[in-house]
Amino acid sequence: MWGERRKTMGIRTLLVACVLLGVSAAQRVVTVQSGPLVRTEGSHVTIWCNVTGYKEGVEQDFEWSMYLSSAPDREIRIVSTAQSNYAYAVYAQRVNSKEIWVERLSRDSAMLHIAKVQARDQGLFECYTPNTDGQYLGSYSARTNLTVIPDSLAVTAPAQTLAQVEGDTLQLNCEVSRETEQHTHLSVGWYMRSPEDAAAPPQEILTLSRDFVLRAGGPYKQRMGAGDLRLDKTSATSYRLTIHRLQPVDQGLLYCQAAEWIQDTDGSWFAMTRKQANKTQLRIQPTDRDFSIQVSTERRSFTAGEPLELRCTIDAQSVPERFFSVSWVFSSSPVAVIGPSAVPVLGPDYVAREAAGHMTVRKESPAVHLLKLQHLRPEDSGKYICRVTEREKTPTGDFIDRSKRSRNVQITVQPVKSNITVSLSSNSSEVQEGDIVQLACSVRSTTGPLSVAWQWSEKQGSAPPQELASVGRDGTVRPGPGYRERSSYGEIRVERVREDTYTLSVYNAVPGDEGMYRCTATEWLAVGAEPEQTWEKIGEKSATKAITVKTVESSFVVSASSRTPSVTYGDSFDLQCLVKPRHNPRVPASVTWRFMPTSSAGDSGEGGTPAEFRDLVTFTREGTLQWGEQLLGLGTRTTVDRSHANTNFRLSVTRAGRREAGTYQCTALLWRRNYDNTWSRVANRTSNLLGISVLQPVSKLRVQKTNQSLVHLEDSRVRINCSVASQTSQDSQHAVLWYVRRAAGAEADELLLRIERSGAFEYGAYADEERLRRRVQAERLSPRLYALTLNRAESSDSGTYYCLVEEWLTDPDGAWYRLARDSSGFTQVLVRQPAVRLQVEESDSNITVSQSGSIRLGCSIPSQSSRDSRFSVSWYVERSSAHPEVEEEEEQRDGEEGDRECVFSIGHDAVFGNGNCSPTEEAGPNSRLQFERTTSDLYSLTIQGARLSDAGRYYCHVEEWLLNPRNAWYRLATNNSGVTIVNVIQQGS
């Protein structure tokens, strides 16, 4: 496995070299915490690993391995983020027990954790990141050295229990040593744990940092600055902590803690190990500063109007020399606070009472404080507490507060009895919106002056009630804070119609006026004499009445409908919006037709944003018409109207197109005219959704599907027809695509030519490959008949041809769209070479000539394959081995040529010697050979001055040549004539 990875890393190195030589693409870079890292045995070790330069969006995996110095080429797998069983056996148990794990910091960063590093973990650690980019580019691993040394840090101090008195001096010693060969620093400090809360973190007292800087914990900084805190190094291994003027807060478990630090190669410091010494139990005996308090009163039950006196007595040593502050609290609310200066600070609810002379707070003596309430009220009933706080200044200048509270003193104040009764009635418990809410409040059995308050609250709500209006003891009417404006317009009126009857009238009721109405009558008693006379409330009764306001919106309904949810291009459709509000001239409605186009119609908005509803037209509450931004049919095919009763709002669309397809919705807003002639929106209703589909017409396109086969000779004209049998509309236009399939196993049909509906031509790639641009011709013979012509056909044009017809129509907006496609039948075209009809005269002959005579040889071609054929003619001879006088044998040639000799040849280009053989005797002025072509199909060769050696078996060889459409000659056929036996005799024989 190591060899394979090394090989892979070699390839990556080569790729990195290629990149450095000229490739500027991003490279993967893996970085690991730089080493060497020196750590103590048993400590927690972490090593981070990052990767950059990879393809974005892919989470990276990390694989950790290590190499021992004794076997630097042997990989030992440790842990992986991608494979659970990645570790080798030596590390598997520690990985499974979570002693070793990988923490993922981000998509491209991870941290290796070794909880308790062992000496055998020392070695070279490698972080490897598997490739996720599809190609290797950059580095995929990084290494760092880990050195594990023994833990030699020793921290010792005696375990002891010390009892000290507040203000004494404490000294604690601690021995710290280590035997580390590396350069390390020590930090030594003392900490304290609270004996009451063992789970609380320790409190730092004083620490000598690794940089030899003294640092005190938060609560001890000021004491260190005052010189009450010291840490001294008394020898090479001894440290001493000194605390002057001990305080009670110093009590607890004190211990010495030391840490050994080493500086890594990146400059950062790492605490290799940290140890604590034995603890010292410290107890602080405080000086006697305790105190107690007690509250006294003559009695605890009173009647309203009587005075109450409460005294708080402090029992403590040296009270005049100490700083006490006294707080009076009533039922958890502050009444007053008297500090050491004896100046009272009153609670917010008692400022007015003290100003009126009905309350006294004072310090009667250093140890006694008085609270006196004149003219008790029933609401003064409750628990009274005296809380005493002593503030003491510490030697460091800080202040320590100690507080105590007295027991609760329950005071009961009985009110002066009142016998009033209150009843509330109304004209109706349910009124219509816009009507009058009228309530009458009757008060009986009164002895003193009355005040009446009207309040309103929600029926089920938890909000506090709101004040509508009130009538004071003197008969003055005051509107509530939230109803002053409405009262100023006369819509809320409060009157005292009789001595014991008060009325509330709410005009032009709105839904917000529905709720619980409360009439509260208060009976008052005059306390004291003028001019300091005050009024005390001696009785209060109330009555409530539920009033329901029937809203207009409760019967407000909006619905939309259409009889034609689906239409065809060019048709019309109507949409109805029915609005049924309760008839009320103060509450008109505004109606809006909204539209969201179908996403497939391409009206999804600029930038590809989703389609949304847009306003088409609005009938305002004033009765005017307001058009929106989205106009269907450019506003020329859309009309709107409404019924006389304003309950039916109709939207009509004529000659619908794709732009009118979508979802329609009707919304209505109900408005209310307020008392100040402003408008408020009462309700908003949205109808159901109406989906209108505008469909393309059903296609009637049909292309003739007759299959046929055509056979043509090369260089002829091939015509293939494409006939449209039927179409959807007389306005239909066609785009015609011609395809050819070369062979049955072809992967795809090749596009030969496309004719747009506009008549524009576009050749396919196949036409260029086969050089058909100049030979192919497309025509429109009639509105429904199209033809494809191949001029000068070649054998390579053989294949299956068909046409694909697209039918195009215009929508009502004038935009062309493709309605349908249909293909024709298949025309099998076979382009072949001419049939071989070559014939050469095959009859044999025997001639005898005398020496020096002439030998005439004929070659007749009675039949040829094409009128455009050209011939190459050659004469051959087979010499006879017998004496010329020997009788010649007349037998047919059996196809064996034997030893033959070329006598003469002429090529199809009429060049002598350019046939299929080279004559032994060259043509020229002195040649004995004479060639003659008397007709187009008759060739002859005359040998003059016959010699005895000319005797033999002669025949002519004919080759038929044709010119193909690419102007290249090819040989179509060959044939041989019959044999002419020539005998040459000597003169005088």
Side-chain angles (χ1 to χ4, degrees):
M1 184 67 185
W2 166 240
E4 293 178 359
R5 177 170 291 181
R6 288 285 297 270
K7 181 179 179 181
T8 303
M9 291 178 62
I11 295 174
R12 296 172 192 155
T13 304
L14 177 60
L15 291 173
V16 171
C18 293
V19 170
L20 294 176
L21 289 175
V23 180
S24 60
Q27 300 181 19
R28 173 185 289 258
V29 177
V30 177
T31 54
V32 73
Q33 187 171 349
S34 61
L37 303 176
V38 180
R39 300 295 184 261
T40 55
E41 187 175 359
S43 64
H44 187 134
V45 175
T46 60
I47 306 176
W48 56 257
C49 181
N50 299 332
V51 58
T52 59
Y54 62 93
K55 186 181 295 182
E56 292 295 334
V58 181
E59 186 176 65
Q60 300 297 299
D61 283 312
F62 297 84
E63 297 178 354
W64 285 93
S65 305
M66 67 92 63
Y67 303 89
L68 299 174
S69 59
S70 59
D73 293 336
R74 180 186 174 191
E75 178 189 25
I76 303 176
R77 293 185 172 185
I78 301 176
V79 68
S80 169
T81 60
Q83 304 178 42
S84 59
N85 58 350
Y86 180 79
Y88 281 178
V90 66
Y91 282 103
Q93 182 177 359
R94 296 170 68 187
V95 172
N96 294 335
S97 62
K98 302 302 181 182
E99 181 182 340
I100 299 177
W101 74 95
V102 176
E103 176 189 5
R104 184 178 288 281
L105 304 178
S106 65
R107 298 174 69 92
D108 50 16
S109 181
M111 180 86 74
L112 173 67
H113 289 261
I114 304 177
K116 295 181 180 179
V117 70
Q118 302 176 7
R120 63 176 179 172
D121 295 331
Q122 177 170 301
L124 183 64
F125 280 71
E126 179 184 53
C127 172
Y128 172 73
T129 63
N131 183 22
T132 60
D133 304 326
Q135 61 178 347
Y136 285 96
L137 190 63
S139 64
Y140 289 79
S141 65
R143 297 181 177 185
T144 188
N145 269 308
L146 175 64
T147 301
V148 181
I149 63 176
D151 184 3
S152 63
L153 179 66
V155 182
T156 58
Q160 56 186 338
T161 300
L162 299 178
Q164 302 286 116
V165 178
E166 181 179 0
D168 289 351
T169 297
L170 172 70
Q171 286 188 340
L172 298 176
N173 294 315
C174 181
E175 292 289 328
V176 180
S177 64
R178 90 277 196 187
E179 298 177 359
T180 306
E181 295 180 357
Q182 286 77 8
H183 176 72
T184 60
H185 287 193
L186 290 177
S187 62
V188 180
W190 265 267
Y191 295 82
M192 181 185 70
R193 282 189 177 275
S194 173
E196 289 82 8
D197 188 2
Q203 173 64 55
E204 181 184 12
I205 300 175
L206 189 60
T207 299
L208 178 63
S209 72
R210 64 172 185 268
D211 301 323
F212 310 106
V213 177
L214 277 176
R215 181 183 66 245
Y220 291 92
K221 289 182 179 179
Q222 189 171 0
R223 295 171 68 181
M224 175 182 170
D228 291 343
L229 208 62
R230 291 178 57 87
L231 195 156
D232 299 297
K233 186 174 183 181
T234 59
S235 69
T237 60
S238 299
Y239 297 83
R240 183 172 62 205
L241 172 69
T242 303
I243 303 177
H244 297 290
R245 288 190 284 275
L246 285 172
Q247 300 178 10
V249 295
D250 297 329
Q251 180 170 291
L253 293 172
L254 279 69
Y255 61 92
C256 168
Q257 177 176 290
E260 186 176 7
W261 298 77
I262 191 167
Q263 191 172 28
D264 288 340
T265 56
D266 59 359
S268 62
W269 286 90
F270 180 80
M272 294 192 300
T273 182
R274 197 184 304 269
K275 292 185 179 179
Q276 298 177 3
N278 293 323
K279 296 180 176 61
T280 296
Q281 177 73 45
L282 177 63
R283 295 187 177 91
I284 305 297
Q285 179 66 36
T287 57
D288 186 12
R289 307 282 297 178
D290 199 11
F291 64 90
S292 62
I293 55 177
Q294 184 178 2
V295 176
S296 60
T297 181
E298 294 181 357
R299 54 194 176 99
R300 300 192 177 191
S301 181
F302 298 87
T303 302
E306 294 181 338
L308 165 66
E309 289 187 357
L310 294 172
R311 286 177 172 80
C312 182
T313 303
I314 302 174
D315 185 7
Q317 300 177 3
S318 307
V319 173
E321 301 174 1
R322 297 162 70 176
F323 298 93
F324 292 99
S325 62
V326 177
S327 301
W328 290 100
V329 180
F330 166 66
S331 296
S332 302
S333 298
V335 177
V337 178
I338 302 176
S341 61
V343 178
V345 178
L346 302 177
D349 296 336
Y350 293 88
V351 174
R353 198 164 179 176
E354 194 271 342
H358 297 166
M359 175 181 173
T360 301
V361 179
R362 68 171 182 265
K363 185 177 181 180
E364 292 185 333
S365 68
V368 179
H369 293 260
L370 171 68
L371 169 64
K372 184 175 183 180
L373 296 178
Q374 304 283 0
H375 308 298
L376 284 174
R377 307 168 184 173
E379 55 266 30
D380 292 330
S381 297
K383 297 176 181 179
Y384 289 82
I385 299 172
C386 172
R387 180 182 290 116
V388 178
T389 300
E390 181 183 12
R391 171 159 291 187
E392 181 181 2
K393 189 174 183 181
T394 66
T396 61
D398 295 335
F399 287 93
I400 299 176
D401 290 342
R402 289 192 295 272
S403 297
K404 289 189 178 181
R405 51 168 287 179
S406 68
R407 294 183 178 181
N408 297 332
V409 177
Q410 182 69 43
I411 299 298
T412 302
V413 180
Q414 299 291 336
V416 178
K417 292 184 178 181
S418 174
N419 297 321
I420 65 172
T421 61
V422 177
S423 62
L424 187 61
S425 61
S426 65
N427 57 341
S428 176
S429 60
E430 180 177 301
V431 299
Q432 296 290 336
E433 183 176 356
D435 292 345
I436 302 175
V437 177
Q438 197 164 38
L439 299 167
C441 182
S442 299
V443 184
R444 301 284 190 272
S445 302
T446 60
T447 58
L450 291 176
S451 64
V452 176
W454 292 94
Q455 291 177 320
W456 172 90
S457 63
E458 298 177 354
K459 288 184 178 180
Q460 303 295 333
S462 59
Q466 301 180 23
E467 183 180 354
L468 294 170
S470 62
V471 181
R473 294 186 302 270
D474 56 356
T476 303
V477 177
R478 294 180 179 85
Y483 293 87
R484 289 173 183 169
E485 183 177 3
R486 194 171 175 185
S487 298
S488 66
Y489 284 90
E491 292 212 348
I492 296 181
R493 301 177 186 177
V494 175
E495 299 177 277
R496 183 176 185 178
V497 294
R498 289 191 297 273
E499 185 176 350
D500 58 351
T501 304
Y502 299 81
T503 61
L504 169 68
S505 301
V506 180
Y507 294 87
N508 296 320
V510 295
D513 294 330
E514 177 177 307
M516 301 298 296
Y517 286 80
R518 177 188 298 272
C519 172
T520 302
T522 304
E523 187 175 12
W524 298 88
L525 175 67
V527 177
E530 296 291 347
E532 296 182 358
Q533 185 183 57
T534 59
W535 291 91
E536 297 287 342
K537 182 167 60 176
I538 62 174
E540 185 176 272
K541 290 293 178 65
S542 62
T544 58
K545 183 74 174 178
I547 300 297
T548 301
V549 178
K550 191 174 181 181
T551 63
V552 175
E553 63 178 305
S554 61
S555 59
F556 187 39
V557 179
V558 178
S559 62
S561 62
S562 174
R563 295 182 180 179
T564 54
S566 179
V567 297
T568 305
Y569 278 11
D571 292 347
S572 302
F573 62 88
D574 290 340
L575 304 178
Q576 312 285 338
C577 180
L578 300 178
V579 182
K580 297 180 180 179
R582 171 178 176 256
H583 179 68
N584 191 329
R586 291 177 60 89
V587 189
S590 62
V591 179
T592 301
W593 273 107
R594 309 184 71 208
F595 171 68
M596 180 173 64
T598 302
S599 58
S600 61
D603 296 330
S604 60
E606 295 181 3
T609 57
E612 59 183 14
F613 277 104
R614 301 178 182 176
D615 293 347
L616 291 175
V617 62
T618 300
F619 295 91
T620 65
R621 62 173 181 259
E622 291 84 6
T624 60
L625 199 63
Q626 180 178 339
W627 290 94
E629 297 179 359
Q630 181 73 23
L631 297 180
L632 298 179
L634 301 178
T636 59
R637 304 197 303 271
T638 305
T639 58
V640 291
D641 60 357
R642 60 181 174 179
S643 63
H644 179 72
N646 288 339
T647 58
N648 188 354
F649 299 82
R650 184 173 61 187
L651 175 68
S652 301
V653 177
T654 59
R655 296 186 66 246
R658 64 182 181 88
R659 295 180 56 187
E660 286 76 38
T663 304
Y664 292 80
Q665 190 180 56
C666 174
T667 62
L669 289 177
L670 203 61
W671 297 88
R672 177 188 296 112
R673 187 187 293 273
N674 300 319
Y675 56 84
D676 56 355
N677 289 326
T678 60
W679 290 95
S680 297
R681 188 164 67 179
V682 177
N684 183 5
R685 294 286 186 270
T686 301
S687 73
N688 51 295
L689 301 177
L690 282 181
I692 300 297
S693 300
V694 183
L695 307 176
Q696 296 177 354
V698 178
S699 174
K700 298 179 181 178
L701 175 66
R702 187 172 64 84
V703 181
Q704 192 67 253
K705 296 186 180 297
T706 303
N707 296 330
Q708 59 179 339
S709 297
L710 301 178
V711 180
H712 290 269
L713 293 177
E714 279 193 337
D715 209 26
S716 61
R717 175 181 295 178
V718 180
R719 169 171 286 181
I720 306 168
N721 291 333
C722 179
S723 177
V724 179
S726 63
Q727 59 187 32
T728 307
S729 169
Q730 62 180 1
D731 298 325
S732 297
Q733 292 190 8
H734 305 132
V736 181
L737 294 83
W738 288 98
Y739 287 91
V740 60
R741 185 180 304 159
R742 296 294 304 274
E747 294 183 0
D749 297 343
E750 302 283 354
L751 176 63
L752 183 63
L753 177 67
R754 177 185 177 94
I755 307 173
E756 302 289 352
R757 57 179 176 79
S758 61
F761 280 70
E762 181 181 350
Y763 290 94
Y766 177 76
D768 291 330
E769 291 176 9
E770 300 299 325
R771 298 187 292 276
L772 287 173
R773 277 183 179 261
R774 296 183 180 180
R775 295 192 296 113
V776 69
Q777 178 181 352
E779 299 176 273
R780 182 184 181 188
L781 304 179
S782 69
R784 297 192 184 184
L785 182 60
Y786 299 85
L788 177 70
T789 302
L790 299 176
N791 295 309
R792 302 197 67 191
E794 302 176 6
S795 58
S796 61
D797 296 335
S798 299
T800 303
Y801 291 77
Y802 67 94
C803 69
L804 179 66
V805 179
E806 296 179 348
E807 185 178 23
W808 290 77
L809 288 173
T810 56
D811 64 11
D813 297 315
W816 285 94
Y817 66 94
R818 188 180 70 193
L819 177 62
R821 305 175 81 178
D822 193 19
S823 59
S824 68
F826 296 104
T827 299
Q828 183 70 37
V829 176
L830 176 61
V831 181
R832 60 178 179 80
Q833 296 174 347
V836 177
R837 295 188 178 88
L838 174 65
Q839 293 182 5
V840 182
E841 181 64 44
E842 297 180 355
S843 60
D844 296 335
S845 61
N846 194 326
I847 62 174
T848 301
V849 296
S850 61
Q851 193 175 3
S852 300
S854 296
I855 304 172
R856 183 179 179 83
L857 303 173
C859 187
S860 176
I861 305 174
S863 173
Q864 60 186 49
S865 303
S866 172
R867 64 181 182 180
D868 297 324
S869 297
R870 292 188 182 182
F871 303 99
S872 171
V873 182
S874 303
W875 274 271
Y876 292 88
V877 61
E878 296 177 3
R879 304 294 183 183
S880 175
S881 61
H883 193 271
E885 284 80 12
V886 178
E887 184 179 347
E888 301 274 355
E889 295 181 359
E890 297 181 5
E891 54 185 14
Q892 298 293 334
R893 299 176 62 208
D894 56 3
E896 293 293 334
E897 300 269 342
D899 293 333
R900 65 178 185 176
E901 179 181 338
C902 180
V903 179
F904 175 84
S905 68
I906 183 171
H908 65 276
D909 53 359
V911 177
F912 293 140
N914 203 22
N916 68 331
C917 70
S918 299
T920 56
E921 183 176 343
E922 295 182 0
N926 300 321
S927 175
R928 297 185 302 129
L929 303 178
Q930 181 180 349
F931 171 76
E932 194 175 6
R933 181 183 182 185
T934 57
T935 63
S936 61
D937 55 357
L938 183 59
Y939 296 77
S940 68
L941 176 66
T942 302
I943 303 175
Q944 298 174 347
R947 302 170 183 169
L948 293 177
S949 60
D950 291 334
R953 297 161 55 88
Y954 287 82
Y955 65 91
C956 70
H957 176 77
V958 179
E959 294 181 350
E960 187 176 18
W961 291 75
L962 283 175
L963 190 67
N964 68 13
R966 299 188 183 184
N967 292 323
W969 288 97
Y970 67 95
R971 185 173 61 190
L972 178 63
T974 63
N975 205 347
N976 293 334
S977 68
V979 176
T980 300
I981 300 175
V982 177
N983 299 307
V984 180
I985 61 176
Q986 295 180 352
Q987 293 181 356
S989 172

